[in-house]
Amino acid sequence: MKKINDWQWQDYETLGSTNDEICRYLGVSGGKFIVSGKRQTKGRGRRGRSWDGGLGNLLFSFAFEIGLDKLGEMIFIVSLSLYETIKFFAPAADAKLKWPNDVLLSGKKICGILMEKGSGNYLITGIGVNLATAPQMPDAPYPPTSLAAEGIIINRKDFLQTFMTQFDKNLLLLSQQGFAPIKTKWLQNVRGLGEEITVNLEKESRRGVFFGVDDDGALLLKRQEKIEKIYAGDIFYTENKDKGKE
Ligand code: BTN
């Protein structure tokens, strides 16, 4: 096994899903693991969808032990670290965060994040980054793009190493100073703060001003002078408010 910082890292040519494969490594208490692959035959996305990895893209999962009460904070740390990685390589890139856990590049989807509970206290985070190709996503409200299509060339290993380093730094910041500095950085780089947005919930849509997020990661939506907390939903900005559900 190779190493990135203090993570054990296994890279594959082809495998089913990195989120499944990493389960074989868990169990050594205190272990921190990364599994990556060039191709997945059973890549999974959120809400039971499949994930077409696309050739030349970075597909990986990492797992470590953490209380599941930290899940909300982890979502912010992961998306922030992805955002910071893109900005590290391409400071002028038009990258923005999108609640709850997306990163947009020129307003388009650049990666996907799938968090799942592993055995014991392990949290598994699976990430697909469109380095080279934009996967086909005909129904997605945010069309996918790739870093290469936006003129940003980064290889798999460099992206992964920088991401893990950024993630480690943000995790340390969380343990030393709590969620506040993470939340501040995240809010500085999120799209649409203070603007009118539409949030699609399971059964209804709500329109209001994107007021912020609370310490549990809930979206704060201001409607008729009241602040509502939203725990799950899809955000639509003004120019794509008429799009259907994801
Ligand atoms: C989404 O639906 O936006 C999340 C997609 C997550 C895809 C990644 S690719 C690496 C890891 N392994 C999987 O099977 N899924 C995640």
Side-chain angles (χ1 to χ4, degrees):
M1 266 206 185
K2 294 183 259 189
K3 284 199 102 181
I4 295 179
N5 304 335
D6 58 349
W7 298 82
Q8 315 260 18
W9 171 36
Q10 188 69 50
D11 191 28
Y12 292 82
E13 280 293 317
T14 303
L15 76 174
S17 155
T18 56
N19 265 40
D20 293 336
E21 186 63 28
I22 204 163
C23 293
R24 301 205 305 124
Y25 293 86
L26 312 184
V28 184
S29 190
K32 296 165 76 175
F33 304 97
I34 305 168
V35 166
S36 57
K38 292 200 176 114
R39 271 172 290 268
Q40 293 185 129
T41 54
K42 290 185 184 147
R44 288 188 276 117
R46 280 181 280 167
R47 299 178 196 155
R49 288 175 300 204
S50 63
W51 179 262
D52 162 17
L55 213 59
N57 291 341
L58 174 62
L59 312 168
F60 72 105
S61 302
F62 63 97
F64 68 113
E65 288 176 299
I66 184 162
L68 290 179
D69 55 319
K70 292 267 184 281
L71 185 66
E73 294 165 353
M74 281 305 113
I75 290 172
F76 285 84
I77 289 193
V78 170
S79 57
L80 177 65
S81 304
L82 282 167
Y83 167 86
E84 289 172 340
T85 303
I86 293 171
K87 285 297 223 183
F88 174 84
F89 289 106
D94 174 21
K96 285 278 169 210
L97 291 159
K98 174 174 165 276
W99 184 87
N101 66 350
D102 265 315
V103 185
L104 301 174
L105 186 60
S106 305
K108 299 177 194 152
K109 187 172 168 85
I110 193 66
C111 59
I113 304 170
L114 176 67
M115 286 184 157
E116 295 178 323
K117 187 191 169 323
S119 55
N121 277 331
Y122 273 99
L123 174 70
I124 300 170
T125 303
I127 300 179
V129 186
N130 305 338
L131 294 182
T133 31
Q136 298 291 315
M137 299 179 89
D139 302 328
Y142 293 86
T145 189
S146 70
L147 284 155
E150 306 293 326
I152 302 165
I153 307 297
I154 311 171
N155 75 40
R156 289 170 72 238
K157 191 175 169 202
D158 288 347
F159 194 105
L160 180 59
Q161 266 175 341
T162 303
F163 169 80
M164 292 313 305
T165 301
Q166 218 52 53
F167 177 80
D168 284 343
K169 277 190 202 162
N170 283 323
L171 200 60
L172 186 67
L173 185 62
L174 178 76
S175 71
Q176 289 175 338
Q177 295 182 35
F179 187 50
I182 301 285
K183 183 166 122 175
T184 302
K185 281 204 278 179
W186 193 91
L187 285 173
Q188 278 163 354
N189 298 299
V190 73
R191 180 169 171 192
L193 188 66
E195 293 173 12
E196 280 242 323
I197 57 167
T198 303
V199 189
N200 277 0
L201 310 179
E202 212 179 330
K203 294 193 176 129
E204 52 165 322
S205 276
R206 286 194 202 162
R207 194 148 177 77
V209 172
F210 179 10
F211 196 70
V213 290
D214 78 355
D215 285 349
D216 298 323
L219 176 91
L220 302 176
L221 191 69
K222 190 171 179 188
R223 299 205 311 157
Q224 290 144 7
E225 299 311 310
K226 279 199 195 128
I227 308 290
E228 294 178 6
K229 284 189 186 190
I230 294 178
Y231 290 92
D234 290 314
I235 284 190
F236 294 88
Y237 303 102
T238 309
E239 80 268 25
N240 60 7
K241 69 177 188 300
D242 298 328
K243 290 265 174 81
K245 287 191 177 181
E246 238 187 297

